[in-house]
Amino acid sequence: MRKIIITALTLLSVAASHAQLRITDNNPKSKLHMAEMAITNLYVDSVDENKLVEDAIRGMLEKLDPHSTYSTAKEVKAMSESLEGSFEGIGVQFNMMEDTLVVIQTVTKGPSEKVGIIPGDRIVAVNDTAIAGVKMSKEEIMRRLRGPKGTKAHLKIVRPGIKDQLPFTVVRDKIPVFSIDASYVIKPGIGYIRLNNFGATTYDEFMTALGKLQEKGIDRLIIDLQDNGGGYLQAAVMVVNELLSKGDMIVYTEGLKAPRHEYHADGGKQPFTGRLAVLVNEFSASASEILSGAIQDQDRGIIVGRRSFGKGLVQRPIEFADGSMIRLTISHYYTPSGRCIQKPYTKGGQKDYAKDIDNRLKNGELTSADSIHFADSLRFQTLREHRTVYGGGGIMPDYFVPLDTTRYTLFHRQLSAKSAIINANLKYIDANRKKLKKQYATFEDFNANYEVPQSFVDAVIAKGAEVNVKPKDDEELQTTLPYLRTQLKALVARDLWDLTEYFQVMNETNDIVQKAVSLLDEK
């Protein structure tokens, strides 16, 4: 049929280039197919047929809900790495100091650590191609460092204090990507676990972290889902399974063409039965809301923070031969009490949907619980204590913690956005790493005694001035300094140790975390 249509179109175009061409087949699928062929074969200029088709797919999906999307093969690969729990490369965390790659950390037992690469090293060439001083993009540098497991990356490294370049050959390997940012005893008897997503390795990571905390004597647990945008539904179900009693419903899904499917707890392998607090904010979405909704509806623990994002739609991946993918919404998910917590949207109204968080801030919802209103038709009850909860747009916490807009000033936000803080920190840690490591043998010693020097703060302010970021007055500067000092201390802790130490510092000023600690500490 395709050959016949193309032949007909071609003959008509040659015989009567200005005549009207009429296609009589009224089938929607044929209509789309013929339109693409007509453009490809008759259009006045050359066209990219692949891009035409991709644009058509995006155009169709944009008329649906905000979470049905099309991703190119490259985008699919990037998404998969964070959720599948690994990628293949040399195993370094790095940042760019001006136009030079500086190693911040090497992955423990990873390929770079094994050959002797250390924090502070500058990688200046990969496989005889210079990557320093050539204005190469960070994405291009990452492409050169990554590669299939077993392949070799021949690196040239400049190490402070050593005159000549050092050659290293690194055999690329699987590099883990972790779901857990931090896990530690936040107060005697209270454990803290922060999850950044729900991926293929989340359950195993969670159980390992929980086991270590229980060995330290914790009988209460904080699960921090702030800023966790979700991931795999099954990963969330597996974590919740270890927190509920056997038979308890976790979540169910249902759609027009997708029959109802229920997920129930089976008792778990090593269930945690202690008191529980789950932390959410306006960026906690999807799988995070499955976990927090189940805990709330089953009266298993307390939810602390601010109303979550409100993504109650389930997507099914549809893969194409070239590696690209459609993620098509096929059903809603519902919490155990029957709540659909998808926030309202208009089909095709992605722009308005994307402004929801900004609107919450403008309407005062993020700073006052009194600004949040739910219709009576969205009222539900929890399953054991029969407390009132609401559907129709995210998980409303049991204990609301307002956003402190005075602490994180506009000046601070601009310093962050323009990379002044990160760039100043990179120079500071590069110049002081050895001295700090020698001075502070343990994080506990560092946390108790380290104070951010004024010269470090001055360097941040100076970096800001270089990109025309300045405080509007001295009052804004003085308001900015306490939280800025905390952030700088946390960044130094991260670079000397890891993200767990970063969050140990930051959580001391995190109002949601501190509220949860105080609630779990009550007898």
Side-chain angles (χ1 to χ4, degrees), residues 72-145:
T72 64
K74 183 178 179 181
E75 291 166 340
V76 170
K77 186 170 186 276
M79 287 188 296
S80 297
E81 286 175 353
S82 63
L83 292 177
E84 291 301 326
S86 69
F87 63 91
E88 295 176 348
I90 68 169
V92 296
Q93 297 176 31
F94 70 89
N95 216 324
M96 301 301 295
M97 185 185 293
E98 296 173 351
D99 59 359
T100 302
L101 182 156
V102 179
V103 176
I104 303 299
Q105 294 281 8
T106 54
V107 173
T108 302
K109 298 181 181 179
S112 288
E113 184 186 74
K114 288 178 181 177
V115 299
I117 294 173
I118 61 175
D121 282 352
R122 279 87 163 141
I123 301 177
V124 297
V126 181
N127 294 333
D128 296 324
T129 299
I131 64 170
V134 293
K135 299 188 183 298
M136 187 177 290
S137 70
K138 191 172 182 178
E139 290 73 19
E140 177 62 17
I141 290 173
M142 289 176 63
R143 187 186 69 79
R144 292 176 182 276
L145 293 176

Side-chain angles (χ1 to χ4, degrees), residues 1 27 66 70 112 133 146 263 277 347 384 392 400 438 520:
M1 181 179 177
N27 184 293
Y70 171 81
S112 288
R146 292 185 179 186
Y263 298 83
K347 288 184 178 180
R384 286 175 170 76
F400 178 82
K438 185 176 181 180
L520 289 183

Side-chain angles (χ1 to χ4, degrees), residues 67 198 225 228-233 236 251 281-294 308-315 327 333 335 341-342 353 394-395:
H67 298 291
F198 287 90
L225 302 180
N228 183 323
Y232 296 144
L233 179 149
V251 66
N281 65 6
E282 56 276 12
F283 298 108
S284 306
S286 188
S288 293
E289 295 170 303
I290 290 174
L291 188 153
S292 52
S308 62
F309 183 86
K311 180 183 180 294
L313 299 173
V314 182
Q315 284 73 49
R327 297 182 74 246
Y333 73 72
T335 67
I341 54 172
Q342 173 61 44
Y353 189 82
I395 299 295

Side-chain angles (χ1 to χ4, degrees), residues 400-430:
F400 178 82
V401 180
L403 177 67
D404 187 350
T405 56
T406 61
R407 179 187 299 170
Y408 193 38
T409 64
L410 176 61
F411 176 50
H412 194 160
R413 292 196 295 273
Q414 290 176 329
L415 287 173
S416 296
K418 294 295 182 69
S419 300
I421 296 172
I422 290 297
N423 289 336
N425 172 71
L426 186 58
K427 285 198 171 185
Y428 174 81
I429 200 70
D430 192 53

